[in-house]
C-alpha cells in the first residue's frame, strides 16, 4: 500500500496569519499571534498533500500522532510555511519530520504520523457508531 511513498518525499503548505488563526480568536485577553493548533493543522495539511498523489484509489490518510514544539510567536499578516518530509514508513503508517517558518525564523518543529486507510471502510465504521441498537431505540421512546 505504501510502495510509492519513500523517505525524503516532501510537502509544503503556506498561509497568511489572519485574526481567525490566532490564539486571541479563542480568548480575547491573549495576544493576536498564530496559535499552536493552527500551526499543527498546517503541518498536517503539508504532510497530507505530500502523500496524496501516492495513495491507492479509495484510500485517504488521517493524522494519528503529533509531537510538536511551538518555538516563536508570529503576528497577523505574516506568512507561515510548513514543510513535511517523510522519515519512515511502517505498514500503513507514515512518519514525517515537520517544521514551520514565518518570514523571519523557525517557529515550530516536530514529528507527525499519518495512517493510510480505506475511505469506504472508515465511513462505514462511522455510520455503524452512529446507529443505536434496536433495543435503545425502543427504550428512548
Amino acid at each position: 500500500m505504501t510502495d510509492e511513498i519513500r523517505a525524503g518525499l516532501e510537502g509544503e503548505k503556506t498561509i497568511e496569519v489572519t485574526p481567525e488563526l490566532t490564539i486571541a480568536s479563542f480568548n480575547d485577553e491573549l495576544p493576536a499571534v498564530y496559535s499552536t493548533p493552527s500551526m499543527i493543522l498546517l503541518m498536517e495539511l503539508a504532510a497530507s498533500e505530500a502523500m496524496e498523489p501516492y495513495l491507492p484509489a479509495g484510500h485517504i490518510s488521517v493524522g494519528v500522532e503529533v509531537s510538536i514544539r511551538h518555538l516563536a510567536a508570529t503576528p497577523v499578516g505574516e506568512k507561515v510555511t510548513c514543510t513535511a518530509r517523510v522519515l519512515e514508513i511502517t505498514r500503513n503508517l507514515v512518519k514525517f519530520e515537520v517544521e514551520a517558518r514565518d518570514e523571519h525564523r523557525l517557529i515550530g518543529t516536530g514529528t507527525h504520523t499519518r495512517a493510510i486507510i480505506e475511505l469506504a471502510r472508515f465511513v462505514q465504521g462511522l455510520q455503524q457508531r452512529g446507529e443505536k441498537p434496536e433495543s435503545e431505540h425502543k427504550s428512548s421512546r
Side-chain angles (χ1 to χ4, degrees), residues 11-30:
E12 184 176 281
K13 190 84 172 156
T14 300
I15 54 96
E16 181 175 324
V17 178
T18 62
E20 298 79 26
L21 299 176
T22 67
I23 194 64
S25 72
F26 298 100
N27 181 339
D28 59 8
E29 294 179 12
L30 296 173

Side-chain angles (χ1 to χ4, degrees), residues 1-2 7 11 14 19-20 27 31 35 40 50 65 70 73-74 85 93 111 124 126-127 129 139:
M1 179 183 327
T2 58
T14 300
E20 298 79 26
N27 181 339
S35 72
I40 291 170
E65 183 177 8
H70 198 159
T74 302
R85 184 174 56 81
L93 298 176
T111 59
Q124 182 181 18
L126 288 175
Q127 290 170 341
R129 284 183 56 182
S139 64

Side-chain angles (χ1 to χ4, degrees), residues 1 55-56 58-62 92 115-123:
M1 179 183 327
L55 295 176
H59 287 71
I60 62 170
S61 70
V62 294
N92 71 321
I116 299 171
I117 62 169
E118 186 178 351
L119 180 58
R121 189 169 149 198
F122 181 72
V123 170

